[in-house]
Amino acid sequence: DGGITQSPKYLFRKEGQNVTLSCEQNLNHDAMYWYRQDPGQGLRLIYYSQIVNDFQKGDIAEGYSVSREKKESFPLTVTSAQKNPTAFYLCASSTWTSKETQYFGPGTRLLVL
Amino acid sequence: GQQLNQSPQSMFIQEGEDVSMNCTSSSIFNTWLWYKQDPGEGPVLLIALYKAGELTSNGRLTAQFGTTRKDSFLNISASIPSDVGIYFCAGQRRPGNTGKLIFGQGTTLQVKP
């Protein structure tokens, strides 16, 4: 089945630690996105990539980093510089011609110990 | 970053009732989307709207792209218990096809059997 997978479902981070969230898609989509969701709020864009080896900052990129070495994969690293990382992280993808029609993965919940 | 004004914030209705929710913005949008999110899961795309005045249905769901291009509406007819969840509107401002969506804060729907 085609779709977007995110792993792990739950992730725990210790103080000063970097953690990486995985996002893989087999939809042959060109564009991929990372969003952060906090309780009672809508989604906020962290980073997005329209093509392999290229990505742009979203509205809340500070403390995060990404890479796009393969079309299928768009991992997100939450660095120690992100002081409030506890949130639900969602990955999405879309085609090149219809970037606004985005399909989401199941999400990763990040908790700080 | 800007967020859309989505209302109501929450609704508690009886099974069988119809539901209406809306999203407004001070900016013009060229695309409106409606998503549903179950607890702990990623949002699922319900309806996408691409033209002002467009009215689109998906089963018991009907959504409209406002003629001013600054609002959108979602109606659910004859609600059932599985309609429970959080409904988000999202939009892309002109100029188009950047992939940068802006999300509303969500409408939490609860249905009493």
Side-chain angles (χ1 to χ4, degrees):
Chain A
D1 284 2
I4 303 173
T5 58
Q6 292 186 242
S7 62
K9 184 70 173 174
Y10 297 92
L11 186 58
F12 298 91
R13 193 191 93 162
K14 296 180 181 179
E15 292 286 338
Q17 185 181 43
N18 293 353
V19 292
T20 297
L21 285 61
S22 169
C23 178
E24 304 276 333
Q25 55 96 3
N26 61 3
L27 300 167
N28 199 32
H29 283 174
D30 296 290
M32 298 185 74
Y33 313 81
W34 274 106
Y35 291 89
R36 171 180 171 138
Q37 185 177 29
D38 293 287
Q41 296 191 32
L43 283 63
R44 294 183 291 168
L45 183 64
I46 304 173
Y47 267 98
Y48 63 107
S49 168
Q50 299 192 28
I51 199 168
V52 174
N53 292 323
D54 185 56
F55 49 83
Q56 289 81 38
K57 293 182 179 180
D59 298 320
I60 55 166
E62 186 175 351
Y64 300 97
S65 66
V66 293
S67 63
R68 186 86 187 277
E69 297 177 1
K70 297 187 300 182
K71 186 176 184 178
E72 303 80 20
S73 179
F74 191 39
L76 173 73
T77 296
V78 183
T79 74
S80 57
Q82 173 50 244
K83 298 306 180 187
N84 185 24
T86 297
F88 192 45
Y89 290 87
L90 289 157
C91 178
S93 71
S94 68
T95 63
W96 174 265
T97 54
S98 187
K99 294 191 187 73
E100 70 284 352
T101 309
Q102 297 175 16
Y103 298 90
F104 285 83
T108 292
R109 187 165 299 280
L110 177 60
L111 300 166
V112 177
L113 297 178
Chain B
Q2 177 188 354
Q3 284 198 319
L4 299 173
N5 298 313
Q6 187 171 348
S7 66
Q9 191 171 14
S10 63
M11 304 180 73
F12 190 89
I13 62 169
Q14 195 79 29
E15 182 178 359
E17 289 183 354
D18 296 343
V19 173
S20 292
M21 60 190 78
N22 68 80
C23 228
T24 61
S25 171
S26 57
S27 302
I28 291 174
F29 281 70
N30 65 359
T31 304
W32 287 96
L33 305 109
W34 286 92
Y35 288 89
K36 182 193 177 196
Q37 185 178 32
D38 292 327
E41 301 294 331
V44 174
L45 181 63
L46 299 174
I47 294 177
L49 303 160
Y50 301 101
K51 293 168 59 176
E54 181 180 354
L55 185 72
T56 298
S57 293
N58 178 7
R60 293 177 296 104
L61 278 62
T62 301
Q64 184 164 24
F65 193 140
T67 54
T68 65
R69 308 184 74 97
K70 294 182 178 180
D71 55 11
S72 180
F73 307 87
L74 176 69
N75 295 315
I76 305 173
S77 63
S79 59
I80 59 177
S82 62
D83 290 334
V84 165
I86 304 175
Y87 292 80
F88 288 101
C89 62
Q92 180 175 252
R93 290 187 297 185
R94 300 173 70 183
N97 209 28
T98 64
K100 293 186 70 175
L101 295 180
I102 299 171
F103 281 80
Q105 293 180 310
T107 294
T108 300
L109 177 64
Q110 298 186 57
V111 179
K112 183 178 180 181

